[in-house]
Amino acid sequence: NNSIHLWHWNSSKISKSADSIFDKQKQNEFKRINLGEHQYKTILIIDDEPDILYTLKLALENSSEKYRVHTYNNPLLLLSKFKSNYYDLLLVDINMPFMNGFELSKKILELDLNIRICFMSTGEINLSALRDVYPGRSMGCFIKKPIKIKNLIRLVETELDWEKAKV
């Protein structure tokens, strides 16, 4: 009987501990929500390599609470789910199956002219020639993969122009 009572006491203690952890998580969620949408920047990453998606998402989300990162590995699925005027920045891989990054960007810009775009590739591209092909479009940067995390964060911050956003 003592052992049952002891187990019950420990169970209760564990339960309180779990409740405390859950309450802390709820408070953190609440704090994040209370920051307000305007303090977040929403980034959309499209790359057919799951490892790259996961790494970029983790790197950006762990660098700051100011980023919300959404990922897709299929350009056709992305187009079917795309929300206009929702994303601040698109990081798009150039070489993907079904549709390359340039074609995808052109379609996205038909849906949302305000999104900023950064192309990613393991190869080189001529960004100024690309801007000549798409004049007036919001193609801001080129990311050569692989990229160091600190360089990725610096490029993203520059592209999103956080200093102007801070008032």
Side-chain angles (χ1 to χ4, degrees):
N1 197 2
N2 280 342
S3 65
I4 291 172
H5 182 65
L6 183 62
W7 177 83
H8 179 70
W9 179 81
N10 283 340
S11 169
S12 173
K13 194 173 180 180
I14 290 169
S15 177
K16 285 180 183 174
S17 176
D19 287 345
S20 172
I21 291 169
F22 181 70
D23 286 343
K24 191 171 268 191
Q25 286 174 338
K26 277 177 32 182
Q27 287 171 355
N28 287 342
E29 283 297 317
F30 187 71
K31 283 180 195 168
R32 265 190 269 163
I33 290 166
N34 281 340
L35 286 174
E37 289 295 322
H38 67 280
Q39 292 186 7
Y40 285 103
K41 292 293 183 177
T42 307
I43 301 169
L44 177 61
I45 305 173
I46 174 87
D47 195 307
D48 59 316
E49 295 290 333
D51 290 345
I52 291 172
L53 277 179
Y54 180 74
T55 302
L56 295 177
K57 178 179 174 65
L58 275 182
L60 290 169
E61 287 180 339
N62 289 334
S63 73
S64 172
E65 290 184 358
K66 64 188 172 187
Y67 299 133
R68 285 190 175 163
V69 181
H70 301 260
T71 60
Y72 285 89
N73 64 357
N74 180 321
L76 301 177
L77 180 62
L78 166 61
L79 279 176
S80 71
K81 305 272 185 183
F82 186 78
K83 296 181 219 174
S84 236
N85 299 310
Y86 181 77
Y87 303 102
D88 297 293
L89 178 64
L90 170 66
L91 301 180
V92 59
D93 185 32
I94 294 172
N95 301 310
M96 294 182 292
F98 311 116
M99 180 183 302
N100 71 45
F102 300 127
E103 294 166 333
L104 175 63
S105 296
K106 186 175 179 182
K107 290 185 181 293
I108 285 178
L109 286 168
E110 290 170 6
L111 301 170
D112 184 352
L113 283 174
N114 297 316
I115 193 168
R116 303 283 301 161
I117 299 173
C118 286
F119 291 101
M120 303 183 296
S121 178
T122 54
E124 299 287 337
I125 64 163
N126 184 337
L127 198 54
S128 65
L130 185 62
R131 285 192 180 117
D132 289 343
V133 174
Y134 299 104
R137 301 295 183 160
S138 26
M139 295 175 196
C141 69
F142 172 71
I143 297 169
K144 181 161 176 36
K145 298 186 289 185
I147 185 169
K148 290 183 179 178
I149 300 300
K150 67 179 182 178
N151 293 341
L152 170 72
I153 293 163
R154 184 179 43 77
L155 275 169
V156 166
E157 285 178 347
T158 300
E159 204 54 39
L160 292 171
D161 202 10
W162 274 95
E163 294 309 311
K164 280 187 183 174
K166 293 178 189 172
V167 178

